[in-house]
Amino acid sequence: MDRRAFLQLAAAPALLADDAPPSYKVVSSYSAVKSPEMPAPYRGVVARVHSDAVIDAANERIDQAVVDRMLSSGIKALTGAKADKDAWAAFFSPGDVVGIKVNCSGAPAIRASPEVIKAITQNLVGVGVKAENIYIYERFLDQLTSVHYERFVPQGVHIVAVETPRGSLMGYDPKTYVEVSFFGEDDTRSNMARLVTERLTKIINVPNVKEHQASGVTGCLKNLAYGDFSNVARSHMRTKTNTLSFIGTLAAVEPLRSKCMLNIMDGICGVWHGGPFSEEKRYRFYPKLMMLGTDPVAIDRLLLDLIEDKRKAEGAPSLWDRSTDKLDPRAHLDFHKNTFIREPGHIEYAATKFGLGEYDRNRIKLHSVEV
Amino acid sequence: MLAAALLLPSLLPGGAAPPAGAVELKAPRVEYRVNEASATRSPWIDSNGWRILRAPGQKFVYKVNGQSAALAGAEAFTYGAGALISTDGPGEIAFGRMLEFLKSVPAEDLTPVADFGVIEDGTDVTGELLNLLTRMNLLYRIEKNPDRGFAVNVRLGTPSYPADEAKNPSFVAHKIRSQIGDDNRSLRIYGSEVVIGRLLKGDHQARVFLVNYANQPVLGLRVRVRGNYSKAELRAGVTAEQPTDFAHDETATEFSIPQLGAFAVIDLSRN
């Protein structure tokens, strides 16, 4: 028997294949940088802004003026402020160094819309944040550069990838990490981006409306967690994913938790199957909305309903379906199937285990605005 | 002691036959088998450290061309084998550069570090286990009998490591890893699955060998060594940068290597 055959005898995962939650060790010398921390100050509050005119679904062209009005309405609905400047000033001041955590994993088809990022940067500059102190960031350079944010944002704004080149640890903080072994992998650490620990004072989190084959949906929590740490793909193997507990664990690590001031979910375009990527246009849809809040759990709870309702309308299995007969590695091409047993419970887990927000739908205060 | 282990590899003259009894080693390299189903997503590494450790005093020969000759030289040096390298013209140049570097590494009074023992029974199954342990950077010492100094002594075919279980060396390797505990391992390497390390220690110093089996530099590597060392000095032939993000406390010393070529030696000291 050759050694490859040895390995294929079910190997190490059999040793580790119990259902006990993974044992996490969080290493961080940072404490909360300000109070109140996420999900405050607007725990359980979501401003949901919709506009039929924001995108032309036929050509996916986005109307910048409508985006501007949606963002303005949303931030004012969230904060209760009468003017944009007052609303943004509740979160940001001229001395801040602000990171905008975009989501480009499905780029160029689906990503944090450059029109939304343009509106955000203009409002930051409007309250005195210097363009040079604004960082649009994502983990991987190829995904980030495919969007061409530089064509939309004020001159001086940084557009940076944390992991350059892909696989390098140098963009991550060696002193701030979560250590865990999921499947007996060699490298058991996931380190937080240096940009977050060493440079930024505040973060705006800009996820999309997307189904995710492992975590069920990928919203605020997932974008924050898997988008700010290294070596996270190891949490999935074969049909098993550890996103249930890993997402909340990562999102709660300081200083990430304290620095994330605002979540702006870009739901102008969405993906209801095959996420986080968007290889199949037929699985894209157009919710034409934004959701704003400081509570990532509350927004993600609404995202869960949004994707579940869409899948139901299309005749796709529920995100909560744990049957094993539908598992298929090429499931992104067939909405009846899935690659992993999804873990949409990661949102409730983050709420109950780490207090990252309000999961109870009846306790979420929704401000709906039509533009 | 390393003084005895600091053997330099040498070139086998073109056309010359290897000495009688010399064992031919595999060309050290990484095999990426992305389309092959496997129990692990890790790339496959062809390394020979376990073969060398298993046969002290044995003569070895590598038949490798090009840059692989340098890597073969580094591997043989790391494990203390005075191996012969049979190679082509480009390989002679690559090996020559590596040899110059290896000559510059000072001999020190150091002993290989192990976290557990493996009892040698000469079987293929034990050989495969040693191969996997090396690949996983689990530091072992090959023994004739259990060493009371170790909390874990592995003898395949005993109740602790039954023969049936031993048919799956990967299972046994992970079992040993969990028995030791990652926190108690003398050497950890983060950020790469293609780098194998070896650790030697003396009274006030330690030496880490890092062999990169890929044919390209590894960018960004984190190393953890048990023990409190206040200084790290990197020695490398080419394509390597001095350690950064150095940290140490009572239990361990850590540092990052921004870029690692085929091979590096890092000397740690307490002053």
Side-chain angles (χ1 to χ4, degrees), chain A residues 1-4 6-16 25 165 167-170 172 174-175 177 179 181 183-189 194 198 233-238, chain B residues 26 33 36-41 44-46 128 131 135-136 167-171 174-175 177-178 182-183 188-192 219-222 224 244-245 254 256-258:
Chain A
M1 184 182 291
D2 68 20
R3 58 189 177 179
R4 200 70 189 175
F6 272 132
L7 271 180
Q8 289 171 358
L9 289 172
L15 183 70
L16 307 158
K25 182 171 111 180
S168 173
L169 278 182
M170 300 313 292
Y172 296 98
K175 302 183 298 299
Y177 57 87
E179 185 142 26
S181 174
F183 301 102
E185 61 272 21
D186 283 355
D187 188 345
T188 50
R189 286 185 184 175
R194 276 183 198 271
E198 296 178 1
R234 67 192 170 99
S235 65
H236 325 306
M237 185 181 274
R238 297 199 184 96
Chain B
K26 285 194 162 196
R33 302 179 180 183
E36 188 168 324
S38 70
T40 169
R41 285 191 286 199
W44 192 258
I45 298 176
D46 284 332
E128 184 58 27
N131 182 15
R135 157 72 187 81
M136 293 166 67
K167 289 176 185 169
N168 188 341
S170 181
F171 183 92
H174 281 277
K175 179 175 171 176
R177 178 180 169 187
S178 67
D182 279 350
D183 283 349
R188 296 290 310 273
I189 296 173
Y190 303 94
S192 175
L219 300 170
L221 195 69
R222 187 78 176 160
R224 178 183 189 269
T244 62
D245 296 306
E254 292 197 14
S256 300
I257 306 285

Side-chain angles (χ1 to χ4, degrees), chain A residues 78-199:
Chain A
L78 177 68
T79 60
K82 298 273 188 256
D84 286 341
K85 197 167 181 176
D86 293 339
W88 285 91
F91 297 105
F92 305 101
S93 53
D96 278 324
V97 180
V98 182
I100 302 173
K101 174 64 190 71
V102 291
N103 187 309
C104 298
S105 61
I110 183 153
R111 67 283 189 263
S113 307
E115 293 84 357
V116 172
I117 303 305
K118 176 180 180 180
I120 292 170
T121 55
Q122 285 178 335
N123 279 287
L124 288 172
V125 171
V127 294
V129 178
K130 294 176 184 165
E132 305 80 56
N133 286 340
I134 298 173
Y135 290 76
I136 297 166
Y137 75 99
E138 176 58 293
R139 283 181 63 207
F140 304 128
L141 187 65
D142 55 338
Q143 295 173 347
L144 184 65
T145 54
S146 72
V147 184
H148 292 291
Y149 289 113
E150 73 280 2
R151 297 173 186 168
F152 291 79
V153 300
Q155 197 167 14
V157 170
H158 303 273
I159 301 169
V160 296
V162 171
E163 196 169 309
T164 307
R166 198 180 277 230
S168 173
L169 278 182
M170 300 313 292
Y172 296 98
D173 183 344
K175 302 183 298 299
T176 308
Y177 57 87
V178 173
E179 185 142 26
V180 59
S181 174
F182 292 119
F183 301 102
E185 61 272 21
D186 283 355
D187 188 345
T188 50
R189 286 185 184 175
S190 290
N191 293 72
M192 192 183 292
R194 276 183 198 271
L195 185 66
V196 174
T197 60
E198 296 178 1
R199 181 79 182 114

Side-chain angles (χ1 to χ4, degrees), chain B:
Chain B
M1 292 304 194
L2 184 66
L6 248 182
L7 292 172
L8 292 172
S10 56
L11 214 53
L12 186 68
V23 171
E24 184 176 339
L25 297 172
K26 285 194 162 196
R29 61 173 180 161
V30 175
E31 278 189 73
Y32 296 95
R33 302 179 180 183
V34 291
N35 294 322
E36 188 168 324
S38 70
T40 169
R41 285 191 286 199
S42 303
W44 192 258
I45 298 176
D46 284 332
S47 66
N48 300 290
W50 65 282
R51 294 179 200 274
I52 297 169
L53 293 176
R54 209 179 187 193
Q58 172 71 50
K59 291 175 185 170
F60 293 102
V61 62
Y62 290 90
K63 293 180 180 174
V64 287
N65 290 333
Q67 285 297 322
S68 293
L71 185 57
E75 182 183 71
F77 180 79
T78 296
Y79 292 96
L84 294 164
I85 313 288
S86 172
T87 187
D88 58 2
E92 287 186 12
I93 295 169
F95 176 75
R97 285 199 202 102
M98 179 59 74
L99 188 60
E100 283 306 303
F101 165 62
L102 300 179
K103 285 177 180 172
S104 74
V105 178
E108 302 283 356
D109 212 12
L110 301 169
T111 306
V113 174
D115 294 326
F116 60 101
V118 178
I119 314 304
E120 175 65 289
D121 60 8
T123 63
D124 289 348
V125 176
T126 296
E128 184 58 27
L129 176 63
L130 295 173
N131 182 15
L132 283 172
L133 295 172
T134 305
R135 157 72 187 81
M136 293 166 67
N137 285 308
L138 291 163
L139 305 182
Y140 56 85
R141 186 159 67 225
I142 298 172
E143 306 275 9
K144 288 181 179 169
N145 296 295
D147 184 333
R148 288 188 174 193
F150 291 132
V152 175
N153 284 284
V154 180
R155 189 199 293 269
L156 297 183
T158 59
S160 299
Y161 304 94
D164 271 0
E165 199 175 275
K167 289 176 185 169
N168 188 341
S170 181
F171 183 92
V172 179
H174 281 277
K175 179 175 171 176
I176 294 166
R177 178 180 169 187
S178 67
Q179 287 173 330
I180 297 165
D182 279 350
D183 283 349
N184 299 321
R185 289 166 58 185
S186 293
L187 177 68
R188 296 290 310 273
I189 296 173
Y190 303 94
S192 175
E193 295 182 308
V194 296
V195 175
I196 295 179
R198 194 170 192 225
L199 175 66
L200 300 99
K201 281 188 179 178
D203 290 341
H204 303 287
Q205 63 199 107
R207 174 169 284 175
V208 182
F209 295 92
L210 297 175
V211 184
N212 170 11
Y213 284 82
N215 60 3
Q216 57 189 0
V218 169
L219 300 170
L221 195 69
R222 187 78 176 160
V223 179
R224 178 183 189 269
V225 176
R226 283 200 82 194
N228 189 354
Y229 300 95
S230 55
K231 187 181 168 192
E233 183 184 359
L234 179 137
R235 307 174 194 278
V238 288
T239 331
E241 297 171 25
Q242 283 298 319
T244 62
D245 296 306
F246 189 82
H248 61 105
D249 61 21
E250 305 77 45
T251 58
T253 301
E254 292 197 14
F255 53 89
S256 300
I257 306 285
Q259 185 172 197
L260 174 69
F263 183 55
V265 177
I266 298 97
D267 280 335
L268 301 170
S269 58
R270 295 212 163 99
N271 46 29

